Amino acid sequence: MTEVLSEQVGSGSRSGALLEVDNLHVEFHTRAGVAKAVNGVTYSVDAGETLAVLGESGSGKSVTAQTIMGILDMPPGKITGGEIRFRGVDLLKLPEDQRRKIRGEGISMVFQDALSALNPVFPVGWQIAEMFRMHRGTSRAEAKKKAIELMDRVRIPAAKDRVNDFPHQFSGGMRQRIMIAMAIALDPEILIADEPTTALDVTVQAQIMELLAELQRESNMGLILITHDLGVVADVADKIAVMYGGRIVEHAEVHDLYKNPAHPYSKGLLESIPRVDHKGQELYAIKGMPPNLLEMPSGCAFHPRCPYRRETCETDVPPLYTISGTRGSACHYWREVIDEGQR
Amino acid sequence: MKASAESILEVRDLVKHFPLTQGIIVKRQIGAIKAVDGVSFDLHRGETLGIVGESGCGKSTLAKLLMALERPTSGSVRIHGKDITKAKGAELKRMRRNIQMVMQDPYTSLNPRMTVGDIVGEPFEIHPDVAPKGDRRRRVQELLEVVGLNPDHINRYPHQFSGGQRQRIGIARGLALQPEIIICDEPVSALDVSIQAQVMNLLERLQNEFGLSYIFIAHDLSVVRHISDRVAVMYLGKIVELGTDSEIYDSPTHPYTQALLSAVPVPDPEGRETRQRIILQGDPPSPANPPSGCHFRTRCWKAQDICAQQVPVLERRPGSDHPSACHFAEVRDVVNAQ
Ligand SMILES: Nc1ncnc2c1ncn2[C@@H]1O[C@H](COP(=O)(O)OP(=O)(O)OP(=O)(O)O)[C@@H](O)[C@H]1O
Ligand SMILES: Nc1ncnc2c1ncn2[C@@H]1O[C@H](COP(=O)(O)OP(=O)(O)O)[C@@H](O)[C@H]1O
Ligand code: SF4
Ligand code: SF4
Ligand SMILES: [Mg+2]
Ligand SMILES: [Mg+2]
């Protein structure tokens, strides 16, 4: 974090984590109706920590991330409640020029689809260098030198020779490295990686995850890793937030959640994945489909699919019950779920 | 259902080279993309053969060759002893009835203007002798029921269904002509975890019910292990290792298989600090210009001089009982040894 930034965004006065998302609500106004994409998301991440945000497509992971970054399309998007505190300051209340400063220098993001996130008509080195020119006013020659250094740092072979190449001349894995180079260019304190490996082969995924872990070790960044892959989460996360229907339904330290999930949805997910290390029998399958955001089920949004459902679930929205200092579950019957352990 | 030893599909030395051309007015061939480069295997009745490998290694091209949607450069694909690559006209049409395909992308593989009934019943239009016209609606409704869809939804359109349901529609269509072989090209990779399990269970149930044989193509090695009896590992157009699920997953001998398996994250954080990983450097080389000798040698940590000179054939090697295309094949358990 640069000094300029620390002045703008207070320092020292905070008591919570480096970044805290607190009861965030976001809706989309579309012709078909109002889609409540984010319905009270709360999570936090500290320096050096890795938070995995896990959830099926449409559960609101990316919309939450876009809101943190301040790049949500408004309209159709609309933030209807909550705070996003970075170093104790609510970003949602900051004027755009200050937010722009934080984007890149305080918090930055790597997108799922590197090809469409990069500009096809500019050389990759130019795009990385642009970060320095825009934010730091660095000279052309100096910025290009820094771009090459960064390409080296994300392990692009022969970076010097490739700095003038265009995005389509790189493989998917290399493009994702370039995206990562741009994201870490200004030494952010928080990096949000939105499904950074979903489109990649496992061998390339392993390379990218290793790179992210190394960069994190070097700079002590806080990492928010958005994914639907339970294997990747088990590998790298310190803690997990599980999303369903725009809410956090369970949050826990990684070991606790895998050993003993406290929400029927997390538990169902763990039981429904095939494993490479043993053959296994018929898979457990969570029945039904993810909820339609335009017609969210009453009460607990998971109730139409939940094997633990009782009558109250259809009417009463479960709050995020506190199980321990590090753990919570949005299920009325979390005790029962925990007691049963994994099937 | 137990797979029998009877081969219903025999693939021999299958090759597909796409010409690589230059020039706009006068096209000159300057090389070839070796998408499939000498592939042989058998598929047994009632069995699932999984095919894994990185993007671009030739899996989908292989699938298209088996379906006779592409003509091979050379080699043969025999179904019950008859070569589909040589079949024409009425005979080809009859042979195709027996081998059907379920595609990767449930979002783009279904025609948005056709009703579900039309989509699932379309094979009957092409093969009218299978179901007489008056009987078709009932047959389609039966098929919808078999794959767990509501038969009353026969007049709906694809966009009214979720991804998992659309994949079921694709499966129902694949079943319409009662084929013996179904080729599934990444049938669950576009689906969410909770829906993947539903579709995989459905495929297994249908296999038991109808005695189907599957070729199951996927890049997710956990999914492939779950569903397959045997697994073929592909790299740059060639099968580099072939064996039963436990031969491949518990005692792989080819360095590429070992690297691939070791890259799969295990969904259990216990012991992750000490887990050993083989991390391959770089990307696979272009199939237009594969390395000499062993295609994998540019990324292989065991490569010796011989690897650049001699193509390792897929055969049983000392110390292991399943075929591997590596001069230095050696069992190494990368999945459980952690
Ligand atoms: N019609 C074509 N003309 C030229 N090249 C082709 C054609 N079809 C495929 N290829 C090339 O052949 C190679 C193998 O492609 P294929 O689609 O079979 O890969 P795949 O293993 O199915 O990959 P993925 O996992 O990404 O689906 C690739 O290099 C591809 O670009
Ligand atoms: N620009 C938009 N307009 C309307 N709806 C949107 C928009 N962006 C996202 N949504 C909806 O918000 C919900 C959550 O989306 P998203 O956060 O992208 O999910 P994911 O968890 O897969 O990242 C989805 O139902 C999506 O369709
Ligand atoms: S609150 Fe009820 S429906 Fe919701 S997860 Fe818990 S038991 Fe299931
Ligand atoms: S033949 Fe040589 S290069 Fe190829 S996999 Fe074996 S050791 Fe590696
Ligand atoms: Mg997303
Ligand atoms: Mg393919």
Side-chain angles (χ1 to χ4, degrees):
Chain A
M1 178 100 164
T2 59
E3 275 159 36
V4 190
L5 251 171
S6 335
E7 279 161 30
Q8 286 175 338
V9 180
S11 56
S13 61
R14 68 197 167 94
S15 54
L18 182 55
L19 178 74
E20 299 167 297
V21 177
D22 189 356
N23 200 21
L24 186 69
H25 286 76
V26 181
E27 353 178 293
F28 288 101
H29 292 256
T30 64
R31 268 191 314 188
V34 176
K36 297 193 168 172
V38 177
N39 300 305
V41 165
T42 298
Y43 60 61
S44 68
V45 66
D46 237 320
E49 200 176 42
T50 299
L51 165 74
V53 179
L54 184 81
E56 294 180 80
S57 67
S59 60
K61 308 181 294 295
S62 300
V63 170
T64 306
Q66 287 160 9
T67 313
I68 296 173
M69 286 296 290
I71 54 170
L72 185 71
D73 280 334
M74 294 194 284
K78 189 171 178 212
I79 300 165
T80 53
E83 293 191 348
I84 296 172
R85 291 185 296 273
F86 178 56
R87 303 182 142 250
V89 172
D90 185 3
L91 298 182
L92 300 179
K93 297 207 178 72
L94 287 186
E96 176 55 27
D97 62 327
Q98 287 190 38
R99 288 212 77 178
R100 196 176 310 128
K101 196 92 187 111
I102 292 172
R103 236 180 345 256
E105 297 189 38
I107 309 171
S108 68
M109 182 157 164
V110 175
F111 299 88
Q112 165 166 1
D113 183 358
L115 187 55
S116 57
L118 288 166
N119 191 327
V121 303
F122 291 108
V124 297
W126 187 91
Q127 296 187 51
I128 301 172
E130 186 69 2
M131 296 293 293
F132 295 105
R133 289 195 300 270
M134 263 174 45
H135 282 261
R136 301 267 161 86
T138 315
S139 74
R140 244 164 204 285
E142 182 64 21
K144 184 164 177 182
K145 217 177 96 205
K146 290 203 147 156
I148 296 172
E149 277 168 27
L150 271 168
M151 286 170 71
D152 265 332
R153 202 163 154 219
V154 297
R155 310 216 164 55
I156 291 176
K160 226 184 154 125
D161 305 329
R162 304 216 60 185
V163 65
N164 293 323
D165 285 357
F166 291 86
H168 73 267
Q169 292 171 286
F170 291 86
S171 68
M174 287 296 157
R175 284 196 289 260
Q176 199 52 284
R177 283 169 196 270
I178 290 160
M179 287 300 300
I180 292 172
M182 287 173 67
I184 62 165
L186 306 173
D187 273 323
E189 291 177 90
I190 303 270
L191 179 66
I192 304 175
D194 190 357
E195 314 232 15
T197 59
T198 301
L200 306 174
D201 282 314
V202 279
T203 53
V204 183
Q205 167 172 288
Q207 294 168 357
I208 298 286
M209 292 315 299
E210 190 194 46
L211 173 66
L212 285 174
E214 267 177 42
L215 294 171
Q216 190 183 24
R217 266 197 305 277
E218 285 165 20
S219 64
N220 205 35
M221 283 183 307
L223 179 64
I224 300 179
L225 179 71
I226 299 174
T227 179
H228 61 258
D229 187 326
L230 286 143
V232 170
V233 173
D235 238 9
V236 302
D238 297 312
K239 51 188 202 181
I240 308 184
V242 182
M243 286 191 70
Y244 188 82
R247 288 192 71 191
I248 303 293
V249 293
E250 176 166 4
H251 70 90
E253 304 218 317
V254 68
H255 291 277
D256 292 340
L257 191 133
Y258 279 76
K259 232 184 274 149
N260 203 349
H263 192 281
Y265 175 65
S266 345
K267 186 170 152 142
L269 280 183
L270 282 175
E271 287 165 357
S272 63
I273 41 169
R275 294 181 55 138
V276 76
D277 52 349
H278 61 249
K279 180 120 179 130
Q281 299 298 306
E282 189 183 0
L283 293 172
Y284 171 77
I286 300 176
K287 62 177 187 182
M289 283 178 289
N292 174 352
L293 297 182
L294 296 172
E295 314 163 36
M296 282 294 254
S298 61
C300 172
F302 189 57
H303 87 252
R305 309 175 75 186
C306 182
Y308 294 84
R309 171 192 57 223
R310 316 254 174 90
E311 247 170 64
T312 45
C313 303
E314 290 165 38
T315 50
D316 299 0
V317 178
L320 191 59
Y321 294 101
T322 304
I323 299 174
S324 75
T326 56
R327 197 151 196 210
S329 164
C331 171
H332 296 305
Y333 304 106
W334 62 267
R335 273 175 221 281
E336 198 181 311
V337 182
I338 282 203
D339 283 349
E340 203 181 274
Q342 266 206 66
R343 256 171 295 222
Chain B
M1 159 146 188
K2 268 265 158 301
S4 73
E6 181 203 346
S7 291
I8 69 174
L9 180 74
E10 291 166 357
V11 177
R12 292 294 175 268
D13 305 317
L14 200 59
V15 173
K16 177 71 191 181
H17 290 179
F18 293 104
L20 199 61
T21 54
Q22 207 176 43
I24 296 162
I25 300 162
V26 185
K27 282 207 165 63
R28 269 185 315 128
Q29 185 170 343
I30 54 162
I33 297 171
K34 296 171 180 155
V36 172
D37 200 18
V39 162
S40 303
F41 63 85
D42 286 1
L43 178 69
H44 304 146
R45 181 182 291 287
E47 150 183 82
T48 301
L49 176 69
I51 297 182
V52 295
E54 282 166 288
S55 180
C57 72
K59 306 180 297 291
S60 297
T61 305
L62 175 62
K64 285 183 205 140
L65 291 170
L66 302 183
M67 299 277 305
L69 296 174
E70 291 270 10
R71 289 265 156 201
T73 306
S74 62
S76 62
V77 176
R78 289 178 202 287
I79 301 171
H80 289 303
K82 269 221 149 63
D83 192 348
I84 192 170
T85 68
K86 305 248 155 52
K88 286 195 186 72
E91 190 184 20
L92 177 60
K93 197 168 151 187
R94 196 159 34 80
M95 289 182 80
R96 273 199 180 135
R97 245 170 74 175
N98 212 9
I99 180 161
Q100 292 286 315
M101 187 146 160
V102 175
M103 306 272 251
Q104 168 160 7
D105 190 346
Y107 298 93
T108 57
S109 62
L110 303 178
N111 184 337
R113 289 175 209 285
M114 285 168 76
T115 65
V116 169
D118 294 338
I119 291 170
V120 174
E122 194 185 23
F124 298 139
E125 297 290 328
I126 304 164
H127 301 272
D129 46 319
V130 178
K133 253 210 153 74
D135 199 27
R136 283 186 200 159
R137 191 179 164 84
R138 192 185 57 79
R139 291 284 282 273
V140 167
Q141 287 187 315
E142 258 173 35
L143 285 164
L144 292 178
E145 192 141 26
V146 161
V147 298
L149 291 171
N150 185 342
D152 298 338
H153 292 172
I154 186 164
N155 291 324
R156 294 199 177 178
Y157 289 87
H159 74 264
Q160 294 172 288
F161 293 88
S162 71
Q165 288 174 323
R166 281 184 243 195
Q167 204 51 293
R168 288 172 193 264
I169 296 169
I171 293 169
R173 185 182 196 280
L175 288 172
L177 302 174
Q178 299 173 312
E180 289 178 290
I181 304 167
I182 294 190
I183 299 178
C184 306
D185 190 0
E186 304 270 9
V188 298
S189 35
L191 305 177
D192 274 318
V193 181
S194 74
I195 309 299
Q196 263 189 17
Q198 294 175 358
V199 172
M200 279 164 67
N201 287 342
L202 170 67
L203 286 170
E204 289 193 304
R205 182 172 60 87
L206 296 173
Q207 178 165 54
N208 293 338
E209 228 162 273
F210 302 110
L212 299 167
S213 307
Y214 290 144
I215 295 208
F216 191 97
I217 298 173
H219 66 269
D220 184 326
L221 285 104
S222 313
V223 164
V224 167
R225 170 159 218 184
H226 179 80
I227 204 154
S228 306
D229 301 300
R230 288 189 306 140
V231 176
V233 182
M234 280 185 78
Y235 188 77
L236 279 188
K238 289 185 188 300
I239 294 181
V240 296
E241 188 163 1
L242 179 66
T244 63
D245 86 90
S246 77
E247 283 168 346
I248 295 295
Y249 286 80
D250 299 331
S251 31
T253 67
H254 196 285
Y256 177 62
T257 312
Q258 292 162 355
L260 204 56
L261 284 171
S262 123
V264 181
V266 176
D268 184 354
E270 242 28 80
R272 65 183 183 185
E273 291 77 15
T274 56
R275 212 168 272 161
Q276 297 284 319
R277 276 289 166 76
I278 304 167
I279 301 217
L280 284 182
Q281 301 305 312
D283 299 306
S286 155
N289 191 13
S292 65
C294 174
H295 286 358
F296 186 56
R297 73 178 164 82
T298 49
R299 299 166 87 196
C300 182
W301 62 96
K302 285 168 74 178
Q304 305 282 322
D305 290 345
I306 182 182
C307 304
Q309 286 140 21
Q310 258 182 49
V311 179
V313 286
L314 181 68
E315 62 182 21
R316 276 195 189 80
R317 310 254 168 186
S320 153
D321 42 19
H322 65 276
S324 172
C326 169
H327 295 304
F328 304 102
E330 191 179 18
V331 174
R332 172 167 168 193
D333 181 354
V334 289
V335 172
N336 305 290
Q338 288 172 347

